[in-house]
Amino acid sequence: MEKMPRWADVALIPILNLIIAFALSALVILAIGEDPVAAVKMMVTGALGSTYGWGYTLYYTTNFIFTGLAVSIAFQAAMFNIGGEGQAAMGGLGVALVCLYIPFPHWALALVFAMAGGALFGAFWAAIPAYLQAKRGSHIVITTIMFNFIAASLLNYLLVNVLRPQGSMDPASARFPEPTRLPTFQDMFSTAENVMFRGTPANVTFFIALLACVGVYFLMWRSRLGYEIRAFGKNPAASIYAGISPFKLTMIAMLISGGLSGMMSINNTMGESERLIMNSVEGAGFIGIAVALMGRNHPFGVLLAAFLFGFLYQGGGELALWTKIPRELITVIQAFVIMFTGALDNMVRMPVERMFIRAAKRREG
Amino acid sequence: MNVENTQGQPETVAPAIELRGISKAFGPVQANKDISIRVMPGTIHGIIGENGAGKSTLMSILYGFYKADAGTILINGQETQIPDSQAAIAAGIGMVFQHFKLVENFSVLENVVLGAEEGEMLRPSLAKARKLLKELADEYELHVDPDKLVEDLGVGMQQRVEILKALYRQADILILDEPTGVLTPAEADHLFRILEGLRAQGKTIILITHKLREIMEITDTVSVMRRGEMTATVKTKDTNVEELAELMVGRKVLLRVDKKPATPGDTVLEVKDLRMVDDHGVERLKGIDLHVKAGEILGIAGVSGNGQSELLKVLGGFANGTGEIRINDDPIDLTGKHSDGRSRRERGISHVPEDRQHLGLIMDFTAWENLAFGYHHAPEYQKNKLLMDNAGMIETAQGEMDRFDVRPPNPMLSAKNFSGGNQQKIVLAREIERNPDLLLVGQPTRGVDIGAIEFIHQRIIDLRDQGKAILLVSVELEEILSMSDRIAVMFDGHIMGERLPAETDEKELGLLMAGVTDTKGAA
């Protein structure tokens, strides 16, 4: 036995990581003179205690599912796509153009076209760094980071100079026409006497995100392309021996990754703000990296991790709103979670692994 | 002090380097076994042996990269601990690696000084180095423009910078690891002149190589390593190429291979004037002509590094070449869009690569995923247009593992959890079960236990008896002799000659492998 059982890898270690992160967060909360137990209660009730809380939690979760899946696919091909932020922003542009300039009779049709528009623009934004990596060897981490800035500047320019309706002081596009409005959870689940998810942004995109998880699962573990992506990511030299083109694989993996990031914008741009605004992605692209790391690059893991971060976002927001705990501290808690589940994963993994191996050796005598 | 050395001559000086009983194991692999060697000062001492014989490990111990499990190191008669390369440098040892360790966008001068700067300011060190560099250049024909960037220099020049680096650190003992591997013959000759100059100044040089010609040309003493052991140390003038070849390749009990005489049919593979230049611009194949018929095994013998790997790569479709390759009299694409592993497989060429862990398998993939690897486009693996038939693939894999006696026969296990022999059986099963017209096999039994060797050999012979063409590349002469129906010997990118196994022996092949064509006269 050379390694620990699978359940420890996929469940025990993430849970241990989380416990450490929360324990440290509790210490920080204690240090500023607040009550950590009350804070946890507040976060749980705020995020999951009402349909209102759920409406926000699931909205954030939807964003993180898309960006998490995007990062995970690039990871499987041994590429670190840090450009989710820019790809999602460009996806927003694609969605906005579709919604603003194509007249739709029904939201469902608009959704299909907006998905295509968002994915196309996101994929395009990933394609350039992918090409530079595959042909010129420019490191994808550097180029995707830089493309985040280019995307932000480009959108800035477009919103101020091109898409801003005449006379508006707000650097944002015009409101999308009514037929493109996606049904929110409130529309879908409320009854005449009982309004649920009141005023929350969670919308039908959540189900698209769930479908995307299933789709990515089949793509990566059931299709030939996924087989090639995983093979290429694990052993590029052997892949060339097998006749897999590194150029083609790099491009395809990054196009899918960028496309998924871009599709996030049907949630925030089409579903929530209903117009294209500045900085619409709000860091979801970066959270996607933590989500993919914590989710072990598996769609199901990504779903769970995205939900955890959705909870942290919404619960943290509530905490800032109702207690004296400052908003910055919420960022600290999120940072702890990212740090322990992502960057410092090996710190917990190594001793636990050694423990399992020792135990196995003892059993063998 | 008067001590008798191994050659029975009186000796008044202590050896520059003496190793006593050095052993080093990596896991179950014994890389060095009880090695003792004395290198006299002011001599060039060659160490030869095939790849994997343990030469590099031994030198890494001497240079402080590895710690020996047992044994002592004496420098100039003093027992010395070498825990790291700093200690080696302090002891006067300089190393020129096969892969240079230079900062490409630094100038020659900066590279030489790097790590040996004196004081806080760089300028005095650079001025001092410039002066010293000029002296060294005049003394040893080591001319390099000190202000040129290393990335603008050719390979031979870069190697000189490495030598200068060592000399700048006042190395008295210089170790060169396969120094001519990347050089043209003219550059190699120049290097030898430099080494002779260094020897004349009293420096001690250890030359690691697998090229016999170099040993004969330049060394004073030569030590032969084989399978982690030092098998002999002799004066170069008292030996000859044949003897060294034999010592290097060694003799062991011939593995018995049961095979009927071959009944060759039509020509399956025909190669004409095949050439290949590697990424460093070095020509690795210099006009190869060969053919393999249906129902025969052509064995390619040769010391590794003489172009066999490149031949397999070009034939297998993952390196470009020029010339002509025909399969069943149909030319195949050597550089274009259809020159990749997949197109080759579609043309009926299967390939068991030399390095199964690096090329043949994906260690993190399960056995069933590996058993489809490269053939994953095959229609029988597809469930429908979109998805692969995972369940079917597992079932197919189970059958293949049973037929090839892969242990444990569990398709869900990762490749890395199988032993070397069983990993090789997985690769072999995958390639043979495809029923190819031509099977390329590189080092089929490297790192494989005896039991599996027989099994693997038998499977290859069975395939031959089904009328398939087989090209076998191996550095194990006895494997070549017992398996092949014809033997071609490769040396320095050329085919030196072809022999029938019944009409040749290890001695003659060894000479051909050393680049000697006139085997009748020499033998």
Side-chain angles (χ1 to χ4, degrees):
Chain A
M1 172 119 141
E2 301 154 36
K3 49 179 208 170
M4 53 186 164
R6 197 167 153 69
W7 64 266
D9 182 40
V10 298
L12 181 63
I13 289 193
I15 289 171
L16 282 176
N17 284 331
L18 276 181
I19 289 173
I20 298 175
F22 285 135
L24 276 174
S25 306
L27 285 180
V28 177
I29 293 174
L30 270 179
I32 61 166
E34 294 282 331
D35 178 4
V37 179
V40 170
K41 270 190 190 150
M42 172 73 72
M43 279 180 83
V44 173
T45 37
L48 309 173
S50 61
T51 56
Y52 175 84
W54 277 94
Y56 274 96
T57 303
L58 291 180
Y59 166 74
Y60 293 126
T61 303
T62 307
N63 283 344
F64 302 152
I65 289 175
F66 279 115
T67 53
L69 288 176
V71 174
S72 76
I73 286 186
F75 260 141
Q76 300 261 22
M79 277 179 296
F80 202 172
N81 178 12
I82 306 194
E85 196 75 8
Q87 289 145 20
M90 290 303 283
L93 179 63
V95 167
L97 293 179
V98 167
C99 289
L100 285 172
Y101 295 111
I102 304 178
F104 288 105
H106 189 264
W107 65 264
L109 195 63
L111 177 63
V112 173
F113 276 78
M115 277 167 63
L120 213 65
F121 273 60
F124 167 71
W125 211 241
I128 304 169
Y131 182 86
L132 291 173
Q133 160 92 54
K135 280 282 178 209
R136 314 288 314 173
S138 315
H139 204 287
I140 199 112
V141 168
I142 311 289
T143 45
T144 49
I145 286 181
M146 295 204 282
F147 267 68
N148 286 339
F149 290 105
I150 301 175
S153 306
L154 183 65
L155 281 183
N156 209 336
Y157 169 81
L158 288 176
L159 285 176
V160 171
N161 297 295
V162 183
L163 291 172
R164 181 172 53 95
Q166 226 159 20
S168 165
M169 307 271 278
D170 192 13
S173 78
R175 190 160 285 277
F176 299 157
E178 186 56 25
T180 67
R181 211 184 76 82
L182 295 177
T184 62
F185 278 18
Q186 186 180 347
D187 302 337
M188 286 186 279
F189 299 110
S190 293
T191 50
E193 57 272 26
N194 188 7
V195 179
M196 290 166 82
F197 299 101
R198 186 193 296 275
T200 61
N203 60 73
V204 68
T205 315
F206 175 70
F207 300 105
I208 307 282
L210 292 184
L211 283 178
C213 286
V214 177
V216 167
Y217 172 78
F218 275 95
L219 171 72
M220 293 309 292
W221 274 271
R222 289 284 182 267
S223 84
R224 202 166 60 224
L225 178 62
Y227 176 91
E228 291 196 344
I229 290 176
R230 287 183 296 125
F232 175 71
K234 291 203 160 87
N235 188 342
S239 304
I240 296 169
Y241 152 80
I244 296 169
S245 154
F247 173 73
K248 210 175 102 189
L249 257 288
T250 304
M251 290 304 293
I252 291 177
M254 280 301 286
L255 285 175
I256 298 173
S257 178
L260 281 166
S261 289
M263 270 167 64
M264 184 202 113
S265 53
I266 56 172
N267 190 45
N268 63 350
T269 300
M270 193 176 178
E272 201 255 338
S273 60
E274 295 171 16
R275 58 192 183 136
L276 187 60
I277 56 171
M278 282 248 257
N279 190 26
S280 59
V281 186
E282 292 182 302
F286 295 116
I287 300 288
I289 298 168
V291 167
L293 279 172
M294 193 174 174
R296 294 283 171 275
N297 297 325
H298 192 285
F300 187 64
V302 165
L303 177 63
L304 290 181
F307 179 68
L308 171 75
F309 277 91
F311 159 77
L312 282 176
Y313 248 61
Q314 171 54 16
E318 291 288 307
L319 211 53
L321 203 60
W322 302 109
T323 66
K324 285 206 277 300
I325 298 175
R327 183 166 278 282
E328 285 72 26
L329 201 74
I330 312 309
T331 317
V332 171
I333 297 174
Q334 286 161 0
F336 274 135
V337 172
I338 294 177
M339 197 162 80
F340 281 96
T341 55
L344 292 178
D345 183 52
N346 271 341
M347 200 178 76
V348 172
R349 175 174 299 272
M350 305 270 265
V352 172
E353 207 161 47
R354 269 200 296 275
M355 206 181 70
F356 270 104
I357 290 169
R358 261 203 304 276
K361 280 218 177 96
R362 257 202 306 280
R363 264 200 308 279
E364 283 161 21
Chain B
M1 194 170 70
N2 243 334
V3 190
E4 292 286 303
N5 73 0
T6 43
Q7 274 76 45
Q9 293 149 332
E11 177 183 308
T12 48
V13 280
I17 291 178
E18 182 172 359
L19 302 179
R20 285 184 189 159
I22 297 281
S23 290
K24 174 76 188 170
F26 298 101
V29 183
Q30 190 79 33
N32 285 159
K33 263 179 273 184
D34 190 25
I35 288 184
S36 297
I37 180 177
R38 322 171 94 205
V39 179
M40 301 312 291
T43 63
I44 299 181
H45 192 119
I47 297 183
I48 54 165
E50 296 194 298
N51 282 4
K55 298 166 295 186
S56 295
T57 306
L58 188 64
M59 291 307 121
S60 298
I61 290 169
L62 189 50
Y63 202 61
F65 282 167
Y66 297 139
K67 193 181 175 314
D69 299 336
T72 47
I73 301 172
L74 286 85
I75 309 279
N76 297 321
Q78 298 292 311
E79 190 172 330
T80 312
Q81 295 295 326
I82 305 183
D84 52 32
S85 55
Q86 290 301 319
I89 292 167
I93 301 173
M95 180 113 175
V96 177
F97 293 92
Q98 198 174 353
H99 304 285
F100 306 141
K101 312 229 182 269
L102 297 170
V103 184
E104 297 245 312
N105 51 0
F106 270 21
S107 73
V108 170
L109 198 60
E110 287 166 328
N111 264 291
V112 167
V113 173
L114 185 68
E117 310 91 343
E118 290 156 24
E120 289 302 311
M121 303 302 289
L122 195 55
R123 203 176 281 268
S125 296
L126 286 178
K128 187 179 155 225
R130 186 182 296 278
K131 192 160 153 274
L132 197 73
L133 232 52
K134 191 167 170 355
E135 287 169 25
L136 289 170
D138 295 341
E139 208 167 341
Y140 304 115
E141 287 190 60
L142 270 164
H143 294 280
V144 190
D145 181 349
D147 296 314
K148 268 224 159 121
L149 294 187
V150 162
E151 63 193 359
D152 297 332
L153 298 178
V155 198
M157 283 295 183
Q158 292 191 7
Q159 191 174 54
R160 283 187 211 174
V161 179
E162 283 284 7
I163 296 174
L164 284 169
K165 256 170 75 178
L167 294 176
Y168 184 73
R169 284 157 182 72
Q170 275 143 14
D172 285 320
I173 301 156
L174 207 56
I175 305 169
L176 295 104
D177 189 3
E178 301 283 357
T180 57
V182 290
L183 300 184
T184 64
E187 284 175 323
D189 283 343
H190 191 108
L191 173 70
F192 289 162
R193 281 213 303 284
I194 293 171
L195 295 185
E196 278 162 2
L198 289 167
R199 172 173 59 186
Q201 297 291 322
K203 305 272 183 198
T204 308
I205 291 157
I206 297 181
L207 181 70
I208 302 167
T209 181
H210 58 238
K211 295 183 182 165
L212 292 164
R213 186 184 70 92
E214 294 172 3
I215 292 289
M216 296 310 293
E217 198 173 313
I218 183 151
T219 62
D220 301 301
T221 317
V222 52
S223 297
V224 185
M225 285 191 76
R226 175 170 166 76
R227 304 207 165 181
E229 287 178 273
M230 194 65 86
T231 49
T233 296
V234 289
K235 292 265 178 215
T236 309
K237 63 176 178 351
D238 298 336
T239 186
N240 53 44
V241 173
E242 294 160 57
E243 191 189 17
L244 287 179
E246 202 177 304
L247 283 168
M248 197 161 119
V249 176
R251 287 175 180 283
K252 65 173 187 209
V253 190
L254 203 71
L255 284 164
R256 201 168 297 282
V257 178
D258 270 331
K259 64 170 191 178
K260 298 175 287 189
T263 47
D266 297 334
T267 299
V268 174
L269 170 72
E270 186 158 26
V271 175
K272 276 186 190 152
D273 193 35
L274 185 66
R275 287 166 191 277
M276 184 257 195
V277 178
D278 71 9
D279 295 338
H280 301 285
V282 179
E283 193 172 34
R284 294 292 179 184
L285 299 179
K286 302 174 178 172
I288 299 285
D289 295 294
L290 56 82
H291 70 274
V292 189
K293 291 199 169 90
E296 75 166 354
I297 298 177
L298 175 69
I300 307 271
V303 176
S304 60
N306 276 294
Q308 305 96 308
S309 307
E310 287 77 7
L311 177 64
L312 285 179
K313 276 187 187 172
V314 174
L315 289 173
F318 52 108
N320 287 337
T322 57
E324 198 183 336
I325 301 178
R326 286 171 172 274
I327 291 289
N328 297 324
D329 215 26
D330 241 352
I332 61 177
D333 193 348
L334 282 183
T335 48
K337 197 161 152 257
H338 295 291
S339 179
D340 65 5
R342 186 179 163 189
S343 311
R344 294 289 200 278
R345 287 180 181 84
E346 281 161 5
R347 296 291 298 273
I349 304 176
S350 280
H351 184 179
V352 178
E354 290 182 299
D355 187 342
R356 63 177 163 270
Q357 303 208 338
H358 186 54
L359 289 179
L361 293 168
I362 292 182
M363 301 309 268
D364 288 330
F365 266 19
T366 58
W368 68 266
E369 284 174 311
N370 270 302
L371 277 160
F373 189 53
Y375 300 94
H376 50 278
H377 293 277
E380 68 262 30
Y381 286 144
Q382 318 306 322
K383 190 174 191 171
N384 50 43
K385 266 202 150 55
L386 292 173
L387 301 181
M388 295 176 90
D389 182 10
N390 285 13
M393 288 163 81
I394 294 169
E395 207 182 297
T396 311
Q398 184 71 64
E400 287 171 350
M401 289 173 88
D402 290 342
R403 280 194 293 284
F404 277 79
D405 191 28
V406 179
R407 284 176 243 176
N410 177 2
M412 311 307 283
L413 224 52
S414 291
K416 62 181 173 215
N417 294 333
F418 289 92
S419 72
N422 284 302
Q423 287 175 357
Q424 186 71 320
K425 285 185 196 166
I426 291 176
V427 179
L428 211 65
R430 178 180 74 207
E431 302 301 326
I432 287 182
E433 292 269 321
R434 240 36 71 173
N435 202 18
D437 289 342
L438 168 69
L439 180 70
L440 309 171
V441 199
Q443 320 297 351
T445 54
R446 179 184 280 171
V448 167
D449 52 288
I450 299 283
I453 288 178
E454 264 181 68
F455 182 87
I456 289 168
H457 282 170
Q458 198 52 53
R459 281 307 167 113
I460 296 173
I461 304 254
D462 289 349
L463 192 69
R464 178 201 74 164
D465 291 342
Q466 289 163 30
K468 310 298 183 183
I470 290 155
L471 182 89
L472 167 73
V473 170
S474 175
V475 294
E476 299 289 341
L477 261 190
E478 49 271 61
E479 182 166 60
I480 291 283
L481 275 165
S482 56
M483 293 284 292
S484 311
D485 299 311
R486 276 187 303 128
I487 299 170
V489 181
M490 267 187 94
F491 170 76
D492 193 27
H494 296 283
I495 299 274
M496 297 303 289
E498 244 184 64
R499 299 286 185 273
L500 294 175
E503 294 165 10
T504 187
D505 54 19
E506 296 197 353
K507 207 168 176 180
E508 190 189 10
L509 292 178
L511 278 174
L512 286 169
M513 283 161 63
V516 181
T517 33
D518 185 17
T519 52
K520 293 289 169 276

